[in-house]
Structures are given as C-alpha cells and as structure tokens.
Amino acid sequence: MNRLAAVDLGASSGRVIVGSVGSGTVHLTEVARFANTPVQVQGTLHWDILGLYQGILDGLDAAGPVQSVGVDSWAVDYGLLDGDGRLLGNPVHYRDARTDTVVSPVPAAAHYAATGIANQPFNTVFQLLAAGGTAQLDTARTLLLIPDLITYWLSGTIGAERTNASTTGLLTAGGGAWDLPLVARLGIRASLLPPLRDPGTVAGPMLHAPETLVTTVASHDTASAVVGVPARTDRFAYISCGTWSLVGVELPSPVLTTGSFEAGFTNETGVDGTVRYLRNVMGLWLLQECMRAWGPAVTLSDLLSGAAAAPARRSVVDATDPRFLAPGDMPARIAAALKETDQPVPADPYAMTRCILDSLALAYRRAIDDARRLTGRPVDVVHLVGGGAQNALLCQLTADACELPVEAGPVEAGALGNILVQARALGLIPADLPSMRALLRSSRRYEPRAAQAVG
C-alpha cells in the first residue's frame, strides 16, 4: 500500500490523516488532531498559525514515513512575508470586525462580472482594503493564503494554489489568472501575488524529510471536499457541511448573470477546470456558538435528541444573515432575529437547536432550488459531506426540505479529496474525476418524508 498524508485544517481543529492507497481502494487513518483556537490581541482576532504549524509537524512525525503530503484549509485568510521570506505577524481571522465598514472602489456588480466571486465582507479583497496603509502591508513582499503558507514552510517553495486563490476575489472568472487590471483598480500591489499552481503540482521535497514530496492539492478545503463527493453522475448537488455549509452544484464554466449576482452565488474554481457554483450558509457555527454560550450542561447528543422531539419549523431564521458571522452570544442574536419577524423564541436549548437545524435545512433547499433555476442543472440527489454527515437529524431534515434523497458522507471528504489528488499526481489511481469518485462511497441514504411526517 502507498501511504500519503493529508493535512486538513478546519476552523475549529486541524488533523493529520494518512491515506493508504491500493488497487481501487483508499483507507484513511487519523493520526493526529489538534485544536485551532483563535486569539484576540488588542482588539484583533488572529489565527495561532505557529501553534497550528507545530501541530502539523507533530502529526507528520506521528504519521511515520509517507510518500507525499498535501495541505488544505479554509479560504480567504493569508499571511504576509517580508523580503527575507519571514512571516509578518499572525494572520488575521476572517471573523474579525476590521472589514465591517470597508467600501470597495470597484462596484460589486462589476467585481462579480470580472471574478464571479460573491460580495462577502470576509473575502481576501476586503481584508486587503482594510489593511491598506498599514506598516505591515507596506513592508510585505509576498501574500500567501493559509495552505500556501504551510506548503512554503514545509517545502521552501512559493506559489498560490488555484482553487483557493479563486476565493480571494482577485482572479479572473474561472480562475485563469490574476486579474491585474482589477488589482490595479483596487490599489493592491500586484507584486504581492505569487505564481499560480494547479492541484497536483509537486511543490518540492519536504525540507526536513527530503524523501517525502510536498504536493499541492485542491487546497481550499471545500474544493477537496467536492473531489471527495461520491457522485455517480453530474446530476447532483453538494453540501459541504461543517462550521460553514457550502451548498451548490459542479459546473464546467462560471455563471456571471445578473440573477446569479443578485442571488449571492459564487463561482469558485474546482479541480480539472470545474467551477464550484455555490452559496455560503453559516452552517453548524450557529449551533457551535450556542453550545459555547450554554456551557457543558448539555451534550450534542442530548440536544439532538431533544430537537428531534421539538415541533418542526415553529421558528426559523435566515442562516445566511451576516449578523450571525461574528463570535458572541448566538442564542441572543437568534432570539432577536425571531422577534423582528414575530416568531416565537425557543424556550430551551432543545427548541433552539431545532430552530437552527430547520433553518439550515431550509437554507439548503433555497440554495439548491436557486442553483437549479440559475444554471439549468438538474439535481437528482444531494450529497452531504463533512462533519455534518454525522448529524442524522440534520440529514433527514435536509432530505425533507429539499424533497430529494440525501446521501450522507463521507465525513472526511476533504481529507479524501486531498489524498486522491496526491495519489493521481503520483500515478497511483486513474486520472479522471469520475474514476476518482468511483473509489468513494456514501455512508447512509435519507429519503424525503411526506409533509405530514415532517410535522
């Protein structure tokens, strides 16, 4: 068996996972997991990037000898290097408030027409505009998104992997190249932007273990997760469900219509020239923040059991509402949103959990219905992958809301996509995307229930 390592960094934890790749099989073993805890310093929320890197190194040591390692993570955030290649401070967290009042010199519709990327306050472009005029940005010579920064530290080579770079709002639609005229209009130095690399490019040998290659994968974790969708045809929608939920369809080219822009869809680059046409939904962040506010008195299993018995769709909120983006008292914010729309406020954590899950399922339905309408792409099945695939209640509510079967799993779709791209780069598995996906399986199927059965 060939052994490959996936470094998979999520918004709340990081993992090192070893993939054993054989003839027609891929088997994953998690060898390390470490917390990803943001740090507030003088009013700014940062990622503890050095702590994450130490966790990665410890995990790779625990993995033992591997032929290749690839890194994927969340999108949009970046580190800045000086002229000697040294990091200028800890990267700022996308949930930091510094972009709240930023106004772009490029109108949103024109920006969308150029890049296909939805207007989101946390996007890299708005972070750079917020950092304009700071000594750190003026000093910087290179910008590296989080997985590119880790790849640089592991291999010593600099590049911008294309699927993640497409989320910045600085690439041409479809991810072909940096949009230099747009970059100039925004007042951003083009010299900050490194050369683009495609998924499957070998970055180089690992500096402290030259027998191991560092392979550039689909480094946006959602791009890796979509590779890890066990689709049998192209008539599918996907929900990559974790702290965020990314809901959409896979297309051969971007959709740049006015209707698409107004509906809040984004066109992110996928593997093999595909487009991840999707909408961002707040995801399980809503429940995670509520649980943080409630403390350890109730467990997730208790909450889900109580939520399953609670009345259906008694109270729902818009799970794409920006008011839910920042950390804080999530139960109070959800209650305020419900009061504004004259809906009952849940009386206990179980009813609040049901409100959140119903709201997510309905947001998924809206996104999938809008994607079908705007693209003409038929959808026969919804693949829900990532950590949310373990939430049976959410999967069933999603099937009910979408009136489509939901195939849940794999839970580790991001790591699987990461491993598959490495394996293809090394010639270990077939090269085309459908053949790669044929190695994968869903864990459970949920059929939609009749409306009266939903409650």
Side-chain angles (χ1 to χ4, degrees), residues 201-236:
T201 302
V202 174
M206 195 155 66
L207 293 177
H208 73 283
E211 67 280 5
T212 298
L213 297 176
V214 181
T215 303
T216 303
V217 298
S219 67
H220 183 197
D221 52 10
T222 305
S224 276
V226 173
V227 172
V229 168
R232 297 294 174 260
T233 73
D234 62 2
R235 297 167 64 98
F236 72 95

PDB file of all heavy atoms in Angstrom, residues 201-236:
ATOM      1  N   THR A 201       0.272  19.704  -8.535  1.00  0.00           N
ATOM      2  CA  THR A 201       1.650  20.143  -8.796  1.00  0.00           C
ATOM      3  C   THR A 201       2.543  19.775  -7.606  1.00  0.00           C
ATOM      4  O   THR A 201       2.189  20.038  -6.455  1.00  0.00           O
ATOM      5  CB  THR A 201       1.695  21.667  -9.006  1.00  0.00           C
ATOM      6  OG1 THR A 201       0.834  22.019 -10.083  1.00  0.00           O
ATOM      7  CG2 THR A 201       3.110  22.137  -9.306  1.00  0.00           C
ATOM      8  N   VAL A 202       3.682  19.182  -7.883  1.00  0.00           N
ATOM      9  CA  VAL A 202       4.625  18.887  -6.807  1.00  0.00           C
ATOM     10  C   VAL A 202       5.384  20.164  -6.458  1.00  0.00           C
ATOM     11  O   VAL A 202       6.073  20.739  -7.304  1.00  0.00           O
ATOM     12  CB  VAL A 202       5.603  17.769  -7.212  1.00  0.00           C
ATOM     13  CG1 VAL A 202       6.668  17.577  -6.142  1.00  0.00           C
ATOM     14  CG2 VAL A 202       4.838  16.466  -7.437  1.00  0.00           C
ATOM     15  N   ALA A 203       5.214  20.613  -5.209  1.00  0.00           N
ATOM     16  CA  ALA A 203       5.885  21.842  -4.775  1.00  0.00           C
ATOM     17  C   ALA A 203       7.375  21.603  -4.560  1.00  0.00           C
ATOM     18  O   ALA A 203       8.197  22.489  -4.798  1.00  0.00           O
ATOM     19  CB  ALA A 203       5.245  22.368  -3.502  1.00  0.00           C
ATOM     20  N   GLY A 204       7.728  20.404  -4.104  1.00  0.00           N
ATOM     21  CA  GLY A 204       9.134  20.079  -3.866  1.00  0.00           C
ATOM     22  C   GLY A 204       9.242  19.076  -2.739  1.00  0.00           C
ATOM     23  O   GLY A 204       8.247  18.698  -2.107  1.00  0.00           O
ATOM     24  N   PRO A 205      10.451  18.619  -2.433  1.00  0.00           N
ATOM     25  CA  PRO A 205      10.642  17.709  -1.294  1.00  0.00           C
ATOM     26  C   PRO A 205      10.452  18.454   0.023  1.00  0.00           C
ATOM     27  O   PRO A 205      10.700  19.663   0.127  1.00  0.00           O
ATOM     28  CB  PRO A 205      12.087  17.238  -1.462  1.00  0.00           C
ATOM     29  CG  PRO A 205      12.754  18.306  -2.259  1.00  0.00           C
ATOM     30  CD  PRO A 205      11.702  18.888  -3.156  1.00  0.00           C
ATOM     31  N   MET A 206      10.010  17.739   1.030  1.00  0.00           N
ATOM     32  CA  MET A 206       9.846  18.340   2.349  1.00  0.00           C
ATOM     33  C   MET A 206      11.225  18.645   2.920  1.00  0.00           C
ATOM     34  O   MET A 206      12.130  17.802   2.879  1.00  0.00           O
ATOM     35  CB  MET A 206       9.065  17.395   3.265  1.00  0.00           C
ATOM     36  CG  MET A 206       8.541  18.075   4.513  1.00  0.00           C
ATOM     37  SD  MET A 206       7.082  17.275   5.231  1.00  0.00           S
ATOM     38  CE  MET A 206       7.778  15.725   5.757  1.00  0.00           C
ATOM     39  N   LEU A 207      11.395  19.847   3.471  1.00  0.00           N
ATOM     40  CA  LEU A 207      12.712  20.319   3.877  1.00  0.00           C
ATOM     41  C   LEU A 207      13.355  19.425   4.928  1.00  0.00           C
ATOM     42  O   LEU A 207      14.552  19.139   4.863  1.00  0.00           O
ATOM     43  CB  LEU A 207      12.606  21.756   4.398  1.00  0.00           C
ATOM     44  CG  LEU A 207      12.236  22.816   3.352  1.00  0.00           C
ATOM     45  CD1 LEU A 207      12.081  24.176   4.006  1.00  0.00           C
ATOM     46  CD2 LEU A 207      13.277  22.874   2.241  1.00  0.00           C
ATOM     47  N   HIS A 208      12.575  18.990   5.922  1.00  0.00           N
ATOM     48  CA  HIS A 208      13.183  18.189   6.991  1.00  0.00           C
ATOM     49  C   HIS A 208      13.029  16.693   6.754  1.00  0.00           C
ATOM     50  O   HIS A 208      13.443  15.892   7.605  1.00  0.00           O
ATOM     51  CB  HIS A 208      12.609  18.584   8.359  1.00  0.00           C
ATOM     52  CG  HIS A 208      11.215  18.126   8.617  1.00  0.00           C
ATOM     53  ND1 HIS A 208      10.108  18.743   8.078  1.00  0.00           N
ATOM     54  CD2 HIS A 208      10.741  17.088   9.360  1.00  0.00           C
ATOM     55  CE1 HIS A 208       9.023  18.131   8.483  1.00  0.00           C
ATOM     56  NE2 HIS A 208       9.371  17.117   9.256  1.00  0.00           N
ATOM     57  N   ALA A 209      12.454  16.294   5.608  1.00  0.00           N
ATOM     58  CA  ALA A 209      12.323  14.873   5.252  1.00  0.00           C
ATOM     59  C   ALA A 209      12.299  14.779   3.734  1.00  0.00           C
ATOM     60  O   ALA A 209      11.247  14.582   3.137  1.00  0.00           O
ATOM     61  CB  ALA A 209      11.058  14.281   5.867  1.00  0.00           C
ATOM     62  N   PRO A 210      13.452  14.942   3.067  1.00  0.00           N
ATOM     63  CA  PRO A 210      13.500  15.054   1.601  1.00  0.00           C
ATOM     64  C   PRO A 210      12.959  13.848   0.854  1.00  0.00           C
ATOM     65  O   PRO A 210      12.649  13.957  -0.336  1.00  0.00           O
ATOM     66  CB  PRO A 210      14.995  15.243   1.326  1.00  0.00           C
ATOM     67  CG  PRO A 210      15.581  15.737   2.599  1.00  0.00           C
ATOM     68  CD  PRO A 210      14.776  15.120   3.687  1.00  0.00           C
ATOM     69  N   GLU A 211      12.801  12.721   1.541  1.00  0.00           N
ATOM     70  CA  GLU A 211      12.231  11.553   0.868  1.00  0.00           C
ATOM     71  C   GLU A 211      10.723  11.691   0.661  1.00  0.00           C
ATOM     72  O   GLU A 211      10.107  10.913  -0.072  1.00  0.00           O
ATOM     73  CB  GLU A 211      12.512  10.284   1.679  1.00  0.00           C
ATOM     74  CG  GLU A 211      11.822  10.184   3.019  1.00  0.00           C
ATOM     75  CD  GLU A 211      12.490  10.969   4.137  1.00  0.00           C
ATOM     76  OE1 GLU A 211      13.481  11.696   3.865  1.00  0.00           O
ATOM     77  OE2 GLU A 211      12.030  10.854   5.294  1.00  0.00           O
ATOM     78  N   THR A 212      10.108  12.702   1.290  1.00  0.00           N
ATOM     79  CA  THR A 212       8.668  12.955   1.171  1.00  0.00           C
ATOM     80  C   THR A 212       8.432  14.163   0.282  1.00  0.00           C
ATOM     81  O   THR A 212       9.023  15.234   0.495  1.00  0.00           O
ATOM     82  CB  THR A 212       8.039  13.209   2.553  1.00  0.00           C
ATOM     83  OG1 THR A 212       8.197  12.041   3.358  1.00  0.00           O
ATOM     84  CG2 THR A 212       6.564  13.542   2.435  1.00  0.00           C
ATOM     85  N   LEU A 213       7.552  14.024  -0.702  1.00  0.00           N
ATOM     86  CA  LEU A 213       7.182  15.146  -1.557  1.00  0.00           C
ATOM     87  C   LEU A 213       6.088  15.976  -0.898  1.00  0.00           C
ATOM     88  O   LEU A 213       5.222  15.446  -0.190  1.00  0.00           O
ATOM     89  CB  LEU A 213       6.674  14.642  -2.910  1.00  0.00           C
ATOM     90  CG  LEU A 213       7.664  13.873  -3.787  1.00  0.00           C
ATOM     91  CD1 LEU A 213       6.966  13.369  -5.039  1.00  0.00           C
ATOM     92  CD2 LEU A 213       8.858  14.760  -4.146  1.00  0.00           C
ATOM     93  N   VAL A 214       6.124  17.271  -1.141  1.00  0.00           N
ATOM     94  CA  VAL A 214       5.015  18.149  -0.777  1.00  0.00           C
ATOM     95  C   VAL A 214       4.241  18.421  -2.063  1.00  0.00           C
ATOM     96  O   VAL A 214       4.779  19.015  -3.004  1.00  0.00           O
ATOM     97  CB  VAL A 214       5.496  19.465  -0.141  1.00  0.00           C
ATOM     98  CG1 VAL A 214       4.298  20.335   0.236  1.00  0.00           C
ATOM     99  CG2 VAL A 214       6.367  19.184   1.081  1.00  0.00           C
ATOM    100  N   THR A 215       3.017  17.924  -2.123  1.00  0.00           N
ATOM    101  CA  THR A 215       2.206  18.022  -3.336  1.00  0.00           C
ATOM    102  C   THR A 215       1.089  19.034  -3.126  1.00  0.00           C
ATOM    103  O   THR A 215       0.370  18.977  -2.119  1.00  0.00           O
ATOM    104  CB  THR A 215       1.604  16.650  -3.698  1.00  0.00           C
ATOM    105  OG1 THR A 215       2.653  15.706  -3.860  1.00  0.00           O
ATOM    106  CG2 THR A 215       0.798  16.726  -4.988  1.00  0.00           C
ATOM    107  N   THR A 216       0.954  19.955  -4.045  1.00  0.00           N
ATOM    108  CA  THR A 216      -0.129  20.935  -3.976  1.00  0.00           C
ATOM    109  C   THR A 216      -1.437  20.235  -4.337  1.00  0.00           C
ATOM    110  O   THR A 216      -1.570  19.670  -5.422  1.00  0.00           O
ATOM    111  CB  THR A 216       0.120  22.092  -4.952  1.00  0.00           C
ATOM    112  OG1 THR A 216       1.384  22.683  -4.653  1.00  0.00           O
ATOM    113  CG2 THR A 216      -0.960  23.140  -4.828  1.00  0.00           C
ATOM    114  N   VAL A 217      -2.392  20.264  -3.426  1.00  0.00           N
ATOM    115  CA  VAL A 217      -3.694  19.640  -3.657  1.00  0.00           C
ATOM    116  C   VAL A 217      -4.721  20.733  -3.925  1.00  0.00           C
ATOM    117  O   VAL A 217      -4.370  21.905  -4.090  1.00  0.00           O
ATOM    118  CB  VAL A 217      -4.097  18.783  -2.435  1.00  0.00           C
ATOM    119  CG1 VAL A 217      -3.090  17.655  -2.233  1.00  0.00           C
ATOM    120  CG2 VAL A 217      -4.199  19.626  -1.167  1.00  0.00           C
ATOM    121  N   ALA A 218      -6.000  20.366  -4.001  1.00  0.00           N
ATOM    122  CA  ALA A 218      -7.062  21.373  -4.030  1.00  0.00           C
ATOM    123  C   ALA A 218      -7.116  21.963  -2.626  1.00  0.00           C
ATOM    124  O   ALA A 218      -7.773  21.435  -1.725  1.00  0.00           O
ATOM    125  CB  ALA A 218      -8.388  20.743  -4.421  1.00  0.00           C
ATOM    126  N   SER A 219      -6.396  23.062  -2.415  1.00  0.00           N
ATOM    127  CA  SER A 219      -6.058  23.465  -1.052  1.00  0.00           C
ATOM    128  C   SER A 219      -7.165  24.209  -0.335  1.00  0.00           C
ATOM    129  O   SER A 219      -7.100  24.387   0.881  1.00  0.00           O
ATOM    130  CB  SER A 219      -4.773  24.307  -1.050  1.00  0.00           C
ATOM    131  OG  SER A 219      -4.975  25.536  -1.691  1.00  0.00           O
ATOM    132  N   HIS A 220      -8.189  24.658  -1.045  1.00  0.00           N
ATOM    133  CA  HIS A 220      -9.387  25.110  -0.333  1.00  0.00           C
ATOM    134  C   HIS A 220     -10.121  23.863   0.130  1.00  0.00           C
ATOM    135  O   HIS A 220     -10.440  22.986  -0.680  1.00  0.00           O
ATOM    136  CB  HIS A 220     -10.276  25.948  -1.255  1.00  0.00           C
ATOM    137  CG  HIS A 220     -11.484  26.498  -0.571  1.00  0.00           C
ATOM    138  ND1 HIS A 220     -12.565  26.982  -1.260  1.00  0.00           N
ATOM    139  CD2 HIS A 220     -11.789  26.631   0.740  1.00  0.00           C
ATOM    140  CE1 HIS A 220     -13.486  27.391  -0.408  1.00  0.00           C
ATOM    141  NE2 HIS A 220     -13.027  27.195   0.818  1.00  0.00           N
ATOM    142  N   ASP A 221     -10.405  23.763   1.422  1.00  0.00           N
ATOM    143  CA  ASP A 221     -10.965  22.514   1.937  1.00  0.00           C
ATOM    144  C   ASP A 221     -12.275  22.143   1.252  1.00  0.00           C
ATOM    145  O   ASP A 221     -12.573  20.946   1.082  1.00  0.00           O
ATOM    146  CB  ASP A 221     -11.115  22.547   3.463  1.00  0.00           C
ATOM    147  CG  ASP A 221     -11.872  23.757   3.996  1.00  0.00           C
ATOM    148  OD1 ASP A 221     -12.461  24.514   3.199  1.00  0.00           O
ATOM    149  OD2 ASP A 221     -11.866  23.948   5.229  1.00  0.00           O
ATOM    150  N   THR A 222     -13.051  23.139   0.815  1.00  0.00           N
ATOM    151  CA  THR A 222     -14.281  22.806   0.099  1.00  0.00           C
ATOM    152  C   THR A 222     -13.976  22.205  -1.270  1.00  0.00           C
ATOM    153  O   THR A 222     -14.666  21.292  -1.729  1.00  0.00           O
ATOM    154  CB  THR A 222     -15.177  24.043  -0.058  1.00  0.00           C
ATOM    155  OG1 THR A 222     -15.422  24.613   1.227  1.00  0.00           O
ATOM    156  CG2 THR A 222     -16.503  23.682  -0.701  1.00  0.00           C
ATOM    157  N   ALA A 223     -12.937  22.701  -1.935  1.00  0.00           N
ATOM    158  CA  ALA A 223     -12.547  22.120  -3.224  1.00  0.00           C
ATOM    159  C   ALA A 223     -12.136  20.667  -3.045  1.00  0.00           C
ATOM    160  O   ALA A 223     -12.497  19.798  -3.854  1.00  0.00           O
ATOM    161  CB  ALA A 223     -11.413  22.926  -3.852  1.00  0.00           C
ATOM    162  N   SER A 224     -11.383  20.363  -1.989  1.00  0.00           N
ATOM    163  CA  SER A 224     -11.029  18.973  -1.703  1.00  0.00           C
ATOM    164  C   SER A 224     -12.272  18.162  -1.352  1.00  0.00           C
ATOM    165  O   SER A 224     -12.417  17.008  -1.772  1.00  0.00           O
ATOM    166  CB  SER A 224     -10.016  18.896  -0.557  1.00  0.00           C
ATOM    167  OG  SER A 224      -8.691  19.069  -1.027  1.00  0.00           O
ATOM    168  N   ALA A 225     -13.181  18.758  -0.577  1.00  0.00           N
ATOM    169  CA  ALA A 225     -14.396  18.039  -0.192  1.00  0.00           C
ATOM    170  C   ALA A 225     -15.257  17.702  -1.394  1.00  0.00           C
ATOM    171  O   ALA A 225     -15.871  16.627  -1.446  1.00  0.00           O
ATOM    172  CB  ALA A 225     -15.195  18.860   0.812  1.00  0.00           C
ATOM    173  N   VAL A 226     -15.311  18.596  -2.388  1.00  0.00           N
ATOM    174  CA  VAL A 226     -16.115  18.313  -3.575  1.00  0.00           C
ATOM    175  C   VAL A 226     -15.475  17.205  -4.405  1.00  0.00           C
ATOM    176  O   VAL A 226     -16.172  16.381  -4.999  1.00  0.00           O
ATOM    177  CB  VAL A 226     -16.345  19.602  -4.389  1.00  0.00           C
ATOM    178  CG1 VAL A 226     -17.033  19.314  -5.718  1.00  0.00           C
ATOM    179  CG2 VAL A 226     -17.193  20.582  -3.582  1.00  0.00           C
ATOM    180  N   VAL A 227     -14.144  17.143  -4.452  1.00  0.00           N
ATOM    181  CA  VAL A 227     -13.486  15.983  -5.070  1.00  0.00           C
ATOM    182  C   VAL A 227     -13.922  14.715  -4.341  1.00  0.00           C
ATOM    183  O   VAL A 227     -14.124  13.658  -4.962  1.00  0.00           O
ATOM    184  CB  VAL A 227     -11.946  16.122  -5.022  1.00  0.00           C
ATOM    185  CG1 VAL A 227     -11.265  14.837  -5.493  1.00  0.00           C
ATOM    186  CG2 VAL A 227     -11.491  17.291  -5.874  1.00  0.00           C
ATOM    187  N   GLY A 228     -14.100  14.804  -3.021  1.00  0.00           N
ATOM    188  CA  GLY A 228     -14.471  13.655  -2.198  1.00  0.00           C
ATOM    189  C   GLY A 228     -15.952  13.340  -2.173  1.00  0.00           C
ATOM    190  O   GLY A 228     -16.393  12.541  -1.338  1.00  0.00           O
ATOM    191  N   VAL A 229     -16.747  13.947  -3.057  1.00  0.00           N
ATOM    192  CA  VAL A 229     -18.175  13.629  -3.170  1.00  0.00           C
ATOM    193  C   VAL A 229     -18.331  12.357  -4.016  1.00  0.00           C
ATOM    194  O   VAL A 229     -17.865  12.317  -5.159  1.00  0.00           O
ATOM    195  CB  VAL A 229     -18.945  14.792  -3.817  1.00  0.00           C
ATOM    196  CG1 VAL A 229     -20.357  14.367  -4.196  1.00  0.00           C
ATOM    197  CG2 VAL A 229     -18.989  15.995  -2.870  1.00  0.00           C
ATOM    198  N   PRO A 230     -18.989  11.314  -3.496  1.00  0.00           N
ATOM    199  CA  PRO A 230     -19.100  10.053  -4.236  1.00  0.00           C
ATOM    200  C   PRO A 230     -20.219  10.067  -5.280  1.00  0.00           C
ATOM    201  O   PRO A 230     -21.081   9.190  -5.308  1.00  0.00           O
ATOM    202  CB  PRO A 230     -19.371   9.037  -3.129  1.00  0.00           C
ATOM    203  CG  PRO A 230     -20.088   9.808  -2.080  1.00  0.00           C
ATOM    204  CD  PRO A 230     -19.512  11.205  -2.125  1.00  0.00           C
ATOM    205  N   ALA A 231     -20.188  11.056  -6.169  1.00  0.00           N
ATOM    206  CA  ALA A 231     -21.234  11.209  -7.170  1.00  0.00           C
ATOM    207  C   ALA A 231     -21.058  10.185  -8.282  1.00  0.00           C
ATOM    208  O   ALA A 231     -19.937   9.882  -8.694  1.00  0.00           O
ATOM    209  CB  ALA A 231     -21.205  12.622  -7.741  1.00  0.00           C
ATOM    210  N   ARG A 232     -22.164   9.693  -8.795  1.00  0.00           N
ATOM    211  CA  ARG A 232     -22.135   8.730  -9.893  1.00  0.00           C
ATOM    212  C   ARG A 232     -22.464   9.381 -11.234  1.00  0.00           C
ATOM    213  O   ARG A 232     -22.166   8.826 -12.285  1.00  0.00           O
ATOM    214  CB  ARG A 232     -23.121   7.592  -9.612  1.00  0.00           C
ATOM    215  CG  ARG A 232     -22.764   6.786  -8.365  1.00  0.00           C
ATOM    216  CD  ARG A 232     -21.445   6.030  -8.557  1.00  0.00           C
ATOM    217  NE  ARG A 232     -21.005   5.368  -7.332  1.00  0.00           N
ATOM    218  CZ  ARG A 232     -20.081   5.849  -6.528  1.00  0.00           C
ATOM    219  NH1 ARG A 232     -19.484   7.012  -6.796  1.00  0.00           N
ATOM    220  NH2 ARG A 232     -19.714   5.198  -5.446  1.00  0.00           N
ATOM    221  N   THR A 233     -23.135  10.544 -11.213  1.00  0.00           N
ATOM    222  CA  THR A 233     -23.432  11.308 -12.423  1.00  0.00           C
ATOM    223  C   THR A 233     -23.190  12.769 -12.099  1.00  0.00           C
ATOM    224  O   THR A 233     -22.807  13.119 -10.976  1.00  0.00           O
ATOM    225  CB  THR A 233     -24.895  11.118 -12.875  1.00  0.00           C
ATOM    226  OG1 THR A 233     -25.766  11.843 -11.973  1.00  0.00           O
ATOM    227  CG2 THR A 233     -25.284   9.648 -12.884  1.00  0.00           C
ATOM    228  N   ASP A 234     -23.438  13.653 -13.070  1.00  0.00           N
ATOM    229  CA  ASP A 234     -23.289  15.080 -12.805  1.00  0.00           C
ATOM    230  C   ASP A 234     -24.594  15.719 -12.328  1.00  0.00           C
ATOM    231  O   ASP A 234     -24.654  16.931 -12.137  1.00  0.00           O
ATOM    232  CB  ASP A 234     -22.758  15.815 -14.042  1.00  0.00           C
ATOM    233  CG  ASP A 234     -23.700  15.714 -15.243  1.00  0.00           C
ATOM    234  OD1 ASP A 234     -24.786  15.106 -15.127  1.00  0.00           O
ATOM    235  OD2 ASP A 234     -23.333  16.249 -16.309  1.00  0.00           O
ATOM    236  N   ARG A 235     -25.627  14.908 -12.092  1.00  0.00           N
ATOM    237  CA  ARG A 235     -26.934  15.439 -11.678  1.00  0.00           C
ATOM    238  C   ARG A 235     -27.022  15.442 -10.144  1.00  0.00           C
ATOM    239  O   ARG A 235     -27.898  14.811  -9.560  1.00  0.00           O
ATOM    240  CB  ARG A 235     -28.057  14.611 -12.284  1.00  0.00           C
ATOM    241  CG  ARG A 235     -28.085  14.648 -13.817  1.00  0.00           C
ATOM    242  CD  ARG A 235     -29.002  13.572 -14.376  1.00  0.00           C
ATOM    243  NE  ARG A 235     -30.394  13.783 -13.999  1.00  0.00           N
ATOM    244  CZ  ARG A 235     -31.304  14.365 -14.765  1.00  0.00           C
ATOM    245  NH1 ARG A 235     -30.976  14.829 -15.973  1.00  0.00           N
ATOM    246  NH2 ARG A 235     -32.546  14.496 -14.360  1.00  0.00           N
ATOM    247  N   PHE A 236     -26.098  16.127  -9.510  1.00  0.00           N
ATOM    248  CA  PHE A 236     -26.074  16.156  -8.046  1.00  0.00           C
ATOM    249  C   PHE A 236     -25.837  17.566  -7.543  1.00  0.00           C
ATOM    250  O   PHE A 236     -25.250  18.410  -8.225  1.00  0.00           O
ATOM    251  CB  PHE A 236     -24.989  15.219  -7.503  1.00  0.00           C
ATOM    252  CG  PHE A 236     -23.571  15.708  -7.704  1.00  0.00           C
ATOM    253  CD1 PHE A 236     -22.912  16.412  -6.703  1.00  0.00           C
ATOM    254  CD2 PHE A 236     -22.889  15.469  -8.891  1.00  0.00           C
ATOM    255  CE1 PHE A 236     -21.605  16.867  -6.881  1.00  0.00           C
ATOM    256  CE2 PHE A 236     -21.586  15.908  -9.083  1.00  0.00           C
ATOM    257  CZ  PHE A 236     -20.943  16.615  -8.074  1.00  0.00           C
TER     258      PHE A 236
END
